Amino acid sequence: MIRPEQNPFYTGSYCGQPFFCHSVEERLEMVEAFTEQECRRALEVQGLQPAVSDAISTRLAALAEGVAQ
């Protein structure tokens, strides 16, 4: 299992409690800027929504082709 800070959807902590982005909309927005490593880690997140998984796969393909920023 990955540490909270290693989860690409980690948004910070408050009083020692980690917080994560959970909504599909916010996750899709975050995926647009993910690196290849962040994409691979994101695919390991349990309960990942299908739309987010698809967006990650698309992002990985774009990164592989050198199209993504």
Side-chain angles (χ1 to χ4, degrees):
M1 184 159 172
I2 61 176
R3 294 189 324 264
E5 309 81 45
Q6 293 174 310
N7 183 324
F9 301 111
Y10 174 76
T11 58
S13 63
Y14 182 73
C15 294
Q17 176 68 38
F19 288 90
F20 303 90
C21 172
H22 291 283
S23 76
V24 172
E25 294 81 9
E26 290 175 323
R27 284 183 169 188
L28 291 174
E29 188 175 315
M30 292 176 79
V31 167
E32 293 176 5
F34 278 0
T35 63
E36 180 181 353
Q37 184 178 11
E38 289 172 320
C39 286
R40 299 208 183 280
R41 274 198 231 130
L43 289 173
E44 297 174 11
V45 171
Q46 291 186 356
L48 190 64
Q49 300 97 330
V52 177
S53 179
D54 291 346
I56 293 169
S57 296
T58 300
R59 175 73 177 159
L60 280 169
L63 288 168
E65 292 175 9
V67 178
Q69 299 177 6

